[in-house]
Amino acid sequence: MIESLYGFAALLALAFLRVPLAFAMGIVGTLGFYFLTGNPMAAESMAARRVVDTAMDYGLSVIPLFILMGNFVSHAGLSDALFRASNGFLGHRKGGQAMATIVACGGFSAICGSSLATAATMGRVAMPQMRKYGYKDSLASASIAAGGTLGILIPPSVMLVIYGILTETSIRELFAAGFIPGMLGILLYLAAVKWVMWRDPSAGPAGEMVPWRERWAALKSVGSTLALFVLVIGGIYLGVFTPTEAAGIGAMGAFVIALLRRALTFSLLLEVLRDTVRTTAMLFAVVLTALIFANFINRAGLPNDLLAFVNGLQLSPFLVILVILAIYVALGCVFESMSMLLLTVPVFFPVVAGLGFDLVWFGILVVIVIEISLITPPVGMNVFVLRAVLPDVTTGTIFRGVTPFWVAGMVRALLVLVFPGIVLFLPRLLY
């Protein structure tokens, strides 16, 4: 176990020295394995075998396909259409445009699958509208930052795919399990907006009433995208096709939608493909080196030693989960979401499985807590992405605004923790 702790210390030191996480995990994992075996050939063979076996895994093809699907939809102008549709039904209420932003973020993230992309895109679309009607920057920016966090839970989610790969858990069941907590997140964020309006009615003035004819026209403009989401997710839920097949269908469907909306030129197509390749390469590099690092800590016996240590303390399983979640909240103050998932899941999931908890439920709970970390100071990646999109809004303003949404996220985590049926109802019903 002591070798694992040295490995984590070295990894943290490299991270603070600004060594990219993929390089840091690969270096520590390979050198750590060499230290344990005393055989450099064994360490090189382990790393090479892990890279080759993982890269040849057919299930990993779901990642670039879902990324491609999200990029096509992002460049097809869907964000504007979603905001117009949700704003048509909610914008005339006090705080309604902030609510419309959250609903639009939920819809956009369901196709995009990326929190950072959702926050950046919706920041450009929704912020000018809210400022037009006199919204305070704190509420306007916070609703975008918080709404963007929905991107890593509502299926199809790349984060859930990676969790499924790391723990060998059914991606189909994870997608089914993430739907109800995702919808619950939208409702609790809407409640957070209502709470802000109750405290400060001037924070979000009511907008203009949109005629019903324009509302239905706006809703019709997102009909093709809604149909694509139902096809992809419904097909997975009903077992018509696998997640990988669904990703291929979704990417092709998004390409057709972009063509029909006349939003796709040859230069834009090249940009979409370049973005997809770049994002996929970065994700694959991190995933592959995370698996190398996981091999090292497993060889060092950290998961088994940790489970024995926990059992020796004679703590209740529920208390152990609380401690793990507290660690995630603390890590969220200094690490970004993907780093947390890749560093901690290989350590914690054997302990959770050994205590008899459902790994699907644990995966959703972990992703919810990671969502919270995206708006947790001082690192809060969504906040800094939004800060780059809105340079005239200070970081402190956004962090002050997200506090009610942070509390709403914690409420959702506690509900899922206490009532696992929120997560497990759909997987048990369908499978």
Side-chain angles (χ1 to χ4, degrees):
M1 183 174 179
I2 190 67
E3 294 89 351
S4 303
L5 297 180
Y6 282 137
F8 272 106
L11 185 61
L12 289 174
L14 291 174
F16 282 116
L17 290 173
R18 297 184 180 274
V19 176
L21 184 65
F23 290 109
M25 288 193 295
I27 292 169
V28 174
T30 305
L31 293 181
F33 201 89
Y34 163 63
F35 177 81
L36 292 174
T37 61
N39 185 348
M41 294 299 295
E44 292 175 9
S45 176
M46 177 277 296
R49 188 174 62 252
R50 172 55 77 182
V51 170
V52 171
D53 290 348
T54 306
M56 294 180 65
D57 185 354
Y58 175 73
L60 272 176
S61 59
V62 71
I63 294 178
L65 288 172
F66 274 136
I67 292 172
L68 180 61
M69 172 182 166
N71 282 339
F72 273 132
V73 168
S74 298
H75 288 83
L78 173 66
S79 54
D80 299 83
L82 280 170
F83 182 75
R84 284 197 306 270
S86 56
N87 189 47
F89 288 89
L90 296 169
H92 60 280
R93 304 172 183 273
K94 284 192 174 182
Q97 295 205 9
M99 296 181 186
T101 300
I102 289 168
V103 173
C105 283
F108 186 78
S109 64
I111 299 294
C112 176
S114 167
S115 290
L116 302 183
T118 301
T121 304
M122 296 307 299
R124 298 185 184 96
V125 173
M127 194 68 179
Q129 278 292 105
M130 287 189 275
R131 280 181 166 170
K132 175 182 175 182
Y133 288 98
Y135 274 62
K136 289 188 175 179
D137 282 350
S138 56
L139 174 60
S141 59
S143 62
I144 299 168
T149 65
L150 299 167
I152 62 173
L153 181 60
I154 297 177
S157 162
V158 172
M159 190 75 77
L160 290 180
V161 171
I162 292 176
Y163 174 86
I165 292 169
L166 291 175
T167 62
E168 299 182 357
T169 305
S170 167
I171 294 174
R172 183 176 68 169
E173 291 186 27
L174 287 168
F175 279 3
F179 185 77
I180 294 178
M183 296 302 105
L184 179 61
I186 293 175
L187 293 176
L188 287 173
Y189 283 164
L190 294 179
V193 174
K194 293 293 289 183
W195 186 83
V196 171
M197 296 308 304
W198 175 70
R199 289 288 304 273
D200 183 8
S202 65
E208 300 170 359
M209 178 76 76
V210 177
W212 278 98
R213 183 181 62 185
E214 294 182 21
R215 294 184 189 184
W216 293 121
L219 197 59
K220 185 179 178 181
S221 67
V222 298
S224 58
T225 309
L226 179 61
L228 178 64
F229 174 76
V230 172
L231 173 65
V232 171
I233 299 303
I236 295 174
Y237 286 178
L238 297 176
V240 177
F241 32 72
T242 66
T244 305
E245 294 166 344
I249 293 170
M252 186 63 194
F255 174 68
V256 172
I257 289 172
L259 285 178
L260 293 176
R261 294 175 69 94
R262 298 180 180 179
L264 200 61
T265 62
F266 182 73
S267 60
L268 191 58
L269 175 61
L270 291 179
E271 183 182 344
V272 166
L273 295 176
R274 279 196 299 265
D275 285 348
T276 301
V277 170
R278 189 182 303 113
T279 305
T280 302
M282 289 189 295
L283 277 176
F284 271 42
V286 176
V287 170
L288 291 172
T289 53
L291 293 171
I292 292 172
F293 183 75
N295 270 15
F296 157 60
I297 62 173
N298 287 330
R299 180 64 179 258
L302 177 61
N304 292 332
D305 291 343
L306 190 59
L307 180 59
F309 176 73
V310 169
N311 289 333
L313 292 176
Q314 297 183 340
L315 299 175
S316 69
F318 185 80
L319 186 57
V320 174
I321 294 294
L322 283 179
V323 172
I324 290 175
L325 295 183
I327 292 172
Y328 272 108
V329 172
L331 289 175
C333 295
V334 292
F335 278 103
E336 55 89 21
S337 55
M338 187 63 71
S339 303
M340 280 205 303
L341 185 80
L342 294 169
L343 287 174
T344 58
V345 166
V347 177
F348 288 145
F349 95 84
V351 176
V352 173
L355 294 173
F357 289 105
D358 189 294
L359 287 180
V360 171
W361 167 80
F362 179 68
I364 300 302
L365 188 58
V366 165
V367 172
I368 289 174
V369 178
I370 288 175
E371 277 188 349
I372 296 170
S373 76
L374 290 171
I375 53 175
T376 299
V379 170
M381 290 300 294
N382 270 24
V383 173
F384 284 97
V385 167
L386 196 59
R387 177 74 175 80
V389 175
L390 307 171
D392 56 333
V393 181
T394 65
T395 305
T397 298
I398 305 175
F399 273 128
R400 283 194 299 273
V402 298
T403 301
F405 299 95
W406 189 90
V407 173
M410 293 300 295
V411 169
R412 178 170 52 147
L414 289 174
L415 287 173
V416 168
L417 178 64
V418 176
F419 304 105
I422 295 173
V423 171
L424 299 176
F425 172 74
L426 267 184
R428 289 173 177 171
L429 176 68
L430 296 173
Y431 312 123

